[in-house]
Amino acid sequence: MPSLRFVTTNSGKVREAEEYLAGVRDVEQFDYDYTEVQSSDLATIAAQGAEEAYEANGGDAPVIVDDAGLFVRGLDGFPGPYSSYVEDTLGVERVWTLAEDLDERRAAFRCVVAYTDGETTETFDGAVQGTMVAPRGDGGFGYDPIFEHDGETFAEMDTERKNALSHRGRALAKLADWLADRDA
Ligand code: IMP
């Protein structure tokens, strides 16, 4: 089976991709820190990251890069593409403090997975809707404790349930369908 390199320092993401791409591609981890371009668009950030990583990898296998973020409606989509920076600087508790006083607390996690094989670059998006809540739960990572979906925060769900409905899973499922169609 052809292989695909997932450009990430996170081995949990690689395992998630292996599940979605089973039977379509072998997934290998490519531990490479690409430059995150300044953009308000996840697809632009992921596509440019994939193209940079493809070159850095010597162009011998297709690569994928994912970029994700939390978009709070009542904050006009903040922190969105800046989610990682905001998590490191403000921190998750203070993002909740910002959301706490809002009338509009609906939010979405969004993810774009970008694929490139050097000739074709394609992006696939996935989203999951939820509501901002006071932190609950010990599992997960990042903004999971303050994002509630269907009565549970992502930090209260087991990994299997979260992966089955996550933004990244939805984007990976679209990639898997696209690759399977291309192979057919
Ligand atoms: P990345 O693109 O996966 O590095 O994620 C960007 C930012 O969004 C980081 O601050 C992550 O912690 C956060 N993030 C991405 N996906 C999730 C998730 O599933 N749960 C909680 N936070 C997430």
Side-chain angles (χ1 to χ4, degrees), residues 51-66:
E51 284 166 6
E52 180 191 319
Y54 179 80
E55 294 299 327
N57 193 228
D60 47 273
V63 300
I64 56 171
V65 161
D66 79 313

Side-chain angles (χ1 to χ4, degrees), residues 149-164:
H149 176 90
D150 227 0
E152 270 186 307
T153 68
F154 267 12
E156 291 174 316
M157 287 180 193
D158 59 44
T159 314
E160 207 174 301
R161 175 158 157 73
K162 185 193 154 184
N163 287 354

Side-chain angles (χ1 to χ4, degrees), residues 107-143:
F109 272 126
R110 299 186 187 286
C111 176
V112 172
V113 172
Y115 164 97
T116 191
D117 56 18
E119 282 177 14
T120 308
T121 300
E122 203 67 42
T123 57
F124 305 88
D125 59 356
V128 58
Q129 307 297 326
T131 311
M132 302 301 292
V133 293
R136 294 198 323 259
D138 302 319
F141 67 97
Y143 299 96

Side-chain angles (χ1 to χ4, degrees), residues 1-21:
M1 196 161 39
S3 67
L4 188 62
R5 304 214 168 127
F6 195 161
V7 184
T8 179
T9 51
N10 180 338
S11 55
K13 286 188 183 180
V14 179
R15 280 194 296 278
E16 195 178 347
E18 276 169 352
E19 282 171 29
Y20 280 95
L21 295 168

Side-chain angles (χ1 to χ4, degrees), residues 12-174:
K13 286 188 183 180
V14 179
R15 280 194 296 278
E16 195 178 347
E18 276 169 352
E19 282 171 29
Y20 280 95
L21 295 168
V24 182
R25 291 290 183 276
D26 281 329
V27 183
E28 295 161 8
Q29 182 168 3
F30 178 28
D31 201 334
Y32 174 74
D33 211 0
Y34 60 91
T35 321
E36 277 214 11
V37 292
Q38 277 281 343
S39 169
S40 56
D41 178 34
L42 293 180
T44 304
I45 300 167
Q48 293 203 19
E51 284 166 6
E52 180 191 319
Y54 179 80
E55 294 299 327
N57 193 228
D60 47 273
V63 300
I64 56 171
V65 161
D66 79 313
D67 197 44
L70 173 71
F71 294 72
V72 181
R73 282 203 198 195
L75 297 174
D76 294 334
F78 182 83
Y82 311 107
S83 294
S84 186
Y85 176 74
V86 169
E87 186 186 337
D88 292 344
T89 50
L90 275 186
V92 171
E93 294 268 347
R94 282 172 73 195
V95 173
W96 161 244
T97 309
L98 290 177
E100 193 172 10
D101 296 327
L102 299 172
D103 293 328
E104 174 55 282
R105 287 198 210 151
R106 280 179 298 173
F109 272 126
R110 299 186 187 286
C111 176
V112 172
V113 172
Y115 164 97
T116 191
D117 56 18
E119 282 177 14
T120 308
T121 300
E122 203 67 42
T123 57
F124 305 88
D125 59 356
V128 58
Q129 307 297 326
T131 311
M132 302 301 292
V133 293
R136 294 198 323 259
D138 302 319
F141 67 97
Y143 299 96
D144 281 347
I146 61 170
F147 184 84
E148 185 185 77
H149 176 90
D150 227 0
E152 270 186 307
T153 68
F154 267 12
E156 291 174 316
M157 287 180 193
D158 59 44
T159 314
E160 207 174 301
R161 175 158 157 73
K162 185 193 154 184
N163 287 354
L165 48 83
S166 88
H167 46 310
R168 195 166 11 262
R170 289 173 188 188
L172 287 167
K174 287 186 189 169

